[in-house]
Amino acid sequence: MGGKGKGKGGGRMRADPSLKVWIGNLAAGVEWKALQEHMNQAGKVRWAEAFSGKSAGTGAVVYSTAEEATNAITMLNGSTLGGQAIMVDVWTKQEQPAATP
């Protein structure tokens, strides 16, 4: 199991979108623990995940408060993790494409 891509409790966490931030441009090999430690600079991280597969290079972080999530976007967008400048932005849920008959 290697702990790849899972935060505390494992699996994807359902959280209020105002508490969640999207992470982009993650370097290959960055795991959830490194992401969590880096993102803790902006506030208390409740959960972190570095996605793999089709979503490799991206991740998500959930904070305790919306203020901490906003701080993360302001403070950590463009910061360096794993030797690359990461993108930190608001979380937006991807709409599922409508099934075609």
Side-chain angles (χ1 to χ4, degrees):
M1 181 153 143
K4 192 161 91 176
K6 302 295 180 220
K8 293 179 192 168
R12 294 215 165 102
M13 179 178 190
R14 298 205 185 280
D16 185 321
S18 69
L19 304 176
K20 202 169 185 180
V21 296
W22 174 84
I23 313 297
N25 201 39
L26 283 175
V30 171
E31 294 188 0
W32 73 266
K33 189 67 177 167
L35 179 60
Q36 179 185 40
E37 289 170 3
H38 183 76
M39 300 306 289
N40 268 334
Q41 296 175 70
K44 175 72 175 129
V45 172
R46 290 178 38 211
W47 175 88
E49 183 169 357
F51 300 131
S52 58
K54 288 192 309 183
S55 299
T58 64
V61 173
V62 176
Y63 284 96
S64 297
T65 68
E67 182 181 8
E68 289 171 336
T70 301
N71 286 345
I73 295 166
T74 303
M75 287 175 55
L76 298 175
N77 186 38
S79 63
T80 302
L81 175 62
Q84 288 185 190
I86 61 170
M87 295 180 287
V88 182
D89 204 353
V90 294
W91 178 264
T92 54
K93 183 170 173 51
Q94 294 293 327
E95 293 299 321
Q96 294 295 330
T100 53

